[in-house]
Amino acid sequence: MADKTLNVISICGSLRKGSYNRIVMNALLALAPDGMKITEAPPFSEFPLYNADTQNSTGFPAPVQKLADAIRAADGVIFNTPEYNFGIPGGLKNAIDWVSRVPNQPFAGKPVALQSASPGPLGGGRVQYDMRRAMVFLDAMTLNKPEIFIGNCTQRIDDKAGKITDEATVGFIKQQLAAFAKFIAAHGTQP
Ligand SMILES: Cc1cc2nc3c(=O)[nH]c(=O)nc-3n(C[C@H](O)[C@H](O)[C@H](O)COP(=O)(O)O)c2cc1C
């Protein structure tokens, strides 16, 4: 495991072009420890609303299969998501619901890390507990600590420049990614 590059994919819960969470996600590759490569997962923006009738009549839409395959092949998954109404944004929840119905569902045993950013003071703390609950049902292995809640994100992220400006935040993210690499080495399922 130690010699192998860890291939981690990131999923952004926001579809917004100027998304703060997407800016954080885009910064991750440069902040990853040696031996960890982070790439963006295939998008969920084209997923239809989940409907078991669709699944049963025409099967899984190609974009769903593509995301499921990418999750299955990855050594770990990082979610960068906003909090909507104290919970998981609808688009992301819909994506998780679709992927969760794919046979041999790909989150089982998968190391997962969570990051959220919000202009509010709690930085999306509540969505992370909602995400953890969904991941429990799917038998994912979610990293407990360090947690990354970027509160008051408009003061820590420059959305015009598309970068994190707060060095302390950068430091916390580096710490989480280093912990995630160790977590994958200890609990990951990929050969
Ligand atoms: C439908 C909706 C619900 C929201 N609910 C919350 C919330 O519960 N907690 C919170 O901290 N921010 C909430 N916000 C504000 C978002 O944190 C803010 O719009 C943030 O910029 C969204 O993330 P993004 O920049 O990555 O798109 C909500 C925004 C929307 C559009």
Side-chain angles (χ1 to χ4, degrees), residues 14 16 18-22 82-86 117-120 124 126:
S14 175
R16 201 169 72 82
S19 160
Y20 288 105
N21 287 279
R22 172 163 288 279
E83 174 177 285
Y84 279 3
N85 299 313
F86 290 5
S118 166
R126 289 156 297 214

Side-chain angles (χ1 to χ4, degrees), residues 46 94 124 157:
E46 302 300 321
N94 184 57
I157 297 168

Side-chain angles (χ1 to χ4, degrees), residues 23 61 65 155 184:
I23 292 170
Q65 199 66 59
Q155 295 161 37
I184 293 171

